[in-house]
Amino acid sequence: MATRLIETANSNESLGDDKSPLSLRYAECPSLTWTDIVLRLMLTMAAADLIGLDREASGHNAGLRITLFVGLAAAIAMVQANLLQNVHLDEL
């Protein structure tokens, strides 16, 4: 995981002023590889499969298919958020 230092200036301070404080913060930006993405999706499918089989066996409405769909949708949304965070931090 790479750590980057991001500097942001206060908007009410003038840019030419030597006394303008800079807010320094560290941002963790995960660098996902294809292996990480596939591993996350496979682990999500395994966990959703176990939960879905248990729910189906106990007679709940949301069984295996619904649980797999919801789990994969959540995992894909989180992977996408991590990738978009990398893109946003690269632009700063």
Side-chain angles (χ1 to χ4, degrees):
M1 238 184 239
T3 302
R4 296 184 187 167
L5 182 64
I6 299 173
E7 301 179 42
T8 57
N10 293 336
S11 60
N12 57 359
E13 300 285 333
S14 66
L15 294 176
D17 188 9
D18 291 333
K19 297 178 183 177
S20 65
L22 291 176
S23 172
L24 300 177
R25 62 186 170 99
Y26 288 95
E28 294 289 329
C29 52
S31 55
L32 294 177
T33 63
W34 282 107
T35 307
D36 294 334
I37 294 170
V38 169
L39 182 64
R40 288 180 185 199
L41 294 178
M42 295 299 285
L43 289 173
T44 299
M45 286 180 59
D49 189 35
L50 291 174
I51 294 169
L53 286 174
D54 180 53
R55 288 186 60 86
E56 203 168 88
S58 61
H60 287 85
N61 288 335
L64 180 63
R65 288 183 296 165
I66 299 293
T67 307
L68 278 172
F69 176 72
V70 170
L72 283 175
I76 290 170
M78 289 298 100
V79 167
Q80 184 180 17
N82 286 335
L83 292 174
L84 288 175
Q85 180 184 9
N86 276 347
V87 171
H88 176 68
L89 289 176
D90 287 341
E91 292 174 359
L92 292 178

